[in-house]
Amino acid sequence: MGILPAAFPVAAAAAVVVAVLFFSTLVSSPCLALTSHEVAAITRRQLANLERHGDHVHIGIDIKVKVSNPRLAAAHRALRALREALYSDPGNFTGNWAGPDVCSYNGVRCVPSLDNSSASTVAALDMNAADVAGYLPREIGLLSDLAVLHLNSNRFCGVIPEEVKDMAQLYELDVSNNRLVGPFPDAVLRVPRLSYLDIRFNGFEGPIPPELFLKPYDAIFLNNNRFTSGIPDTIGRSTASVIVLANNDLGGCIPATIGQAAATLDQFVFINNSLTGCLPVESGLLANATVFDVSHNLLAGSIPTTLDGLAKVEQLDLSHNTFTGIVPGSVCELPALTNLSVSHNFLAGEDAGCNALLAAKRDKSFEDEANCMGDTRPMQKSSGECAPVVSHPVDCAMTKPCGWPASSEKLAHSPPPPIASPPPAAPPPTHEAVILPPIYTSKYQSPPPPQFAGY
C-alpha cells in the first residue's frame, strides 16, 4: 500500500483494495526458495521462541540501546525481535533497523500518541513485498499502539502468535501471500479494534470459526487457503462489506442466513469451494451487493427468481455449477448488471428478458456456452452430456436449509454485533485451480500479490 501519509492517525488505516487473483499452483515447501532443512530449522527456531513464560511476552533479546519513551522502547524491542526472527532479507529491508530512533526504521510510521501529543508512538509497520523469510515472534504483541500491520507478499512461515491479541489499537492486519500455517488464527478474533482482516494466500486449514462473522469487521479475505468443513450460519450476522472465501474446500451449502447481511454486504465471492445444494432464495435479499460470484462449485437446482432483488449487482457469476431449468428473464434485466455468466451448467434455455442482454454486446457481457440449450444457442453440451443431469433435476423446494452450525448455544443466541463505525481521523489440493482475471475491484486500493518464481 506504500508509505502512509503524514497525517495518518494512530487508530485508523488507509483504504486499500484487493484484486482477487487465483494462481494455478502453490509451492510445496512452507517458505519460498528454502530447502526442507532450512524450513525445519525455522520451525524449530520458532517453537523454541514460543515457549511460554507465564502470561507475559517473553523478551529474549539483550537490548542495550536506551530509549526514553516507554512506548518507543517497547516498539524497539518488538522490531529487534522481528529482525532477529528473519532467516533471509535479500533486499536488506531491515538494514537500518538499528539504534534508538525506531521512527526512522524502514517501513515504520510514527505519529503523536493519543494521550500525549508530545510523545511519538509507532502507528504503522509496512513490510509489503520486502521478500523477507522468517517467522513472527511473540514480541510482536509489544506493538500495542500499532494501527496498521502490513506483511503481505513475503515468506513468513509458522503460525500467527497469540500475542497479536495485545495489539489494542490494530485496525488493519494484512499477512496475505506468505507461508503461514495452522488452524484459523483465533488470536486475531481477540484484537479489539480490528476491522480489516486479510490472511489470503497462506496455508491455514480446518474450519472457519463461527465467531469470525460476529466481529464488526468491514473486510474479510480468507481466499486461497485450505479451510474445510462448511460456511458457518453466522455469516448472515456479518457487518462486512466484502467477504471473499474463494479457493478453499469448504463444501456444504450456502446458509440461508446469508440474506441477513443485506445491509452491508457489497462483494460476495465464494468461487471454487465444492459448495453443494441449492442457491438459497434468500440470496436475492442482498440488494446492496455489486459482486455476487459462486462460480466453480457444485450448486444444483434452478436459478432462483428472487435474484431479481440484486438491484445493484454488476458482476453476477453462476458459471461452472450444475444449475438446471431456465435463466430467469428478470435476472438478465437487473438494472446495474454489466457481466452475467451462466456458462458450464445444464440450463435448458433463457427467458425472453435475456434477449436484450444478448444483444448488448458493447457495454454488457453475457456468457451462456456449455449448457443444454440445443440449437438455440452456440457452443452447447451434447445431449449425451446433458441427459444424466437434466433427467434428474434437483427440486430445491424439497431440500432442507443447510450451513455449518454455530459452535455453541450461547453463540447462536448472542445479540448481533454493532455496525462498525468509520475509523476516526493455493488453491486447495483437492481440485483444480481456477485462474480468473482481476475483474473485481472495490474501495480497497492495494495491489494484488505479485507472482514470485515457484508459483
Side-chain angles (χ1 to χ4, degrees):
M1 179 172 155
I3 300 301
L4 299 173
F8 192 84
V10 172
V16 291
V17 127
V18 65
V20 179
L21 297 176
F22 305 106
F23 300 132
S24 60
T25 58
L26 184 67
V27 292
S28 59
S29 63
C31 283
L32 281 172
L34 299 181
T35 68
S36 59
H37 295 293
E38 291 168 336
V39 170
I42 288 177
T43 303
R44 289 194 300 272
R45 188 178 177 189
Q46 186 186 33
L47 290 174
N49 192 60
L50 293 179
E51 290 179 358
R52 295 284 177 177
H53 295 266
D55 294 328
H56 304 286
V57 174
H58 172 62
I59 305 299
I61 299 176
D62 181 18
I63 299 176
K64 299 179 181 180
V65 175
K66 301 296 183 182
V67 182
S68 57
N69 182 332
R71 287 192 168 113
L72 293 183
H76 184 270
R77 292 183 176 186
L79 294 171
R80 282 292 300 273
L82 180 55
R83 187 183 185 190
E84 291 290 328
L86 297 182
Y87 180 86
S88 173
D89 186 1
N92 200 28
F93 184 91
T94 62
N96 74 333
W97 286 22
D101 187 9
V102 296
C103 296
S104 68
Y105 287 8
N106 192 24
V108 173
R109 180 69 182 173
C110 291
V111 298
S113 63
L114 290 176
D115 56 359
N116 183 358
S117 60
S118 63
S120 295
T121 188
V122 174
L125 174 59
D126 185 351
M127 297 182 70
N128 283 357
D131 195 27
V132 297
Y135 65 88
L136 300 179
R138 294 181 61 194
E139 288 83 0
I140 200 168
L142 290 171
L143 294 169
S144 57
D145 291 323
L146 203 68
V148 176
L149 180 57
H150 281 178
L151 303 175
N152 85 49
S153 303
N154 285 291
R155 291 173 288 140
F156 284 109
C157 299
V159 300
I160 294 179
E162 285 289 318
E163 282 69 23
V164 298
K165 71 181 187 303
D166 299 326
M167 304 173 81
Q169 300 300 327
L170 189 63
Y171 180 87
E172 185 171 311
L173 175 63
D174 183 355
V175 294
S176 62
N177 202 36
N178 280 286
R179 293 294 171 263
L180 299 169
V181 296
F184 183 93
D186 287 339
V188 304
L189 300 178
R190 299 194 293 279
V191 178
R193 295 180 61 87
L194 194 65
S195 180
Y196 177 96
L197 176 64
D198 190 347
I199 62 173
R200 60 198 166 118
F201 292 96
N202 278 290
F204 295 112
E205 58 192 2
I208 296 172
E211 294 86 352
L212 171 66
F213 298 113
L214 300 182
K215 298 297 178 180
Y217 296 160
D218 182 56
I220 299 172
F221 297 101
L222 306 187
N223 51 292
N224 293 76
N225 280 285
R226 295 182 174 86
F227 290 117
T228 56
S229 299
I231 300 171
D233 282 326
T234 52
I235 192 169
R237 308 274 291 281
S238 176
T239 60
S241 62
V242 180
I243 300 177
V244 183
L245 305 182
N247 280 0
N248 282 286
D249 196 18
L250 293 172
C253 303
I254 298 175
T257 57
I258 189 65
Q260 299 172 15
T264 57
L265 191 56
D266 175 56
Q267 298 192 23
F268 174 92
V269 184
F270 288 7
I271 304 170
N272 198 31
N273 267 296
S274 301
L275 298 175
T276 59
C278 295
L279 188 61
V281 295
E282 292 82 359
S283 300
L285 297 174
L286 300 176
N288 291 311
T290 60
V291 174
F292 186 102
D293 195 333
V294 293
S295 62
H296 293 266
N297 282 291
L298 301 171
L299 298 173
S302 58
I303 296 174
T305 57
T306 55
L307 292 187
D308 61 5
L310 301 177
K312 295 182 180 179
V313 75
E314 300 170 7
Q315 317 276 348
L316 177 58
D317 197 339
L318 309 176
S319 65
H320 292 270
N321 282 286
T322 59
F323 289 118
T324 54
I326 304 295
V327 181
S330 58
V331 173
C332 294
E333 294 170 344
L334 286 167
L337 192 63
T338 58
N339 292 281
L340 171 62
S341 180
V342 295
S343 61
H344 294 273
N345 280 288
F346 294 85
L347 297 163
E350 298 156 347
D351 276 351
C354 297
N355 292 335
L357 188 59
L358 284 166
K361 297 292 186 182
R362 293 184 179 179
D363 57 345
K364 297 181 185 294
S365 172
F366 183 21
E367 299 176 353
D368 62 357
E369 69 274 10
N371 277 287
C372 300
M373 301 181 190
D375 296 334
T376 62
R377 296 294 300 146
M379 297 184 293
Q380 298 299 300
K381 289 183 171 77
S382 68
S383 57
E385 294 174 283
C386 293
V389 177
V390 173
S391 60
H392 296 88
V394 174
D395 185 355
C396 293
M398 301 300 292
T399 60
K400 296 180 179 179
C402 60
W404 198 250
S407 60
S408 68
E409 192 70 17
K410 179 180 178 181
L411 179 64
H413 295 287
S414 61
I419 301 295
S421 58
T430 55
H431 44 64
E432 184 179 357
V434 177
I435 305 173
L436 297 176
I439 61 173
Y440 304 124
T441 59
S442 70
K443 63 184 178 181
Y444 300 103
Q445 299 288 329
S446 68
Q451 293 192 24
F452 294 113
Y455 271 85

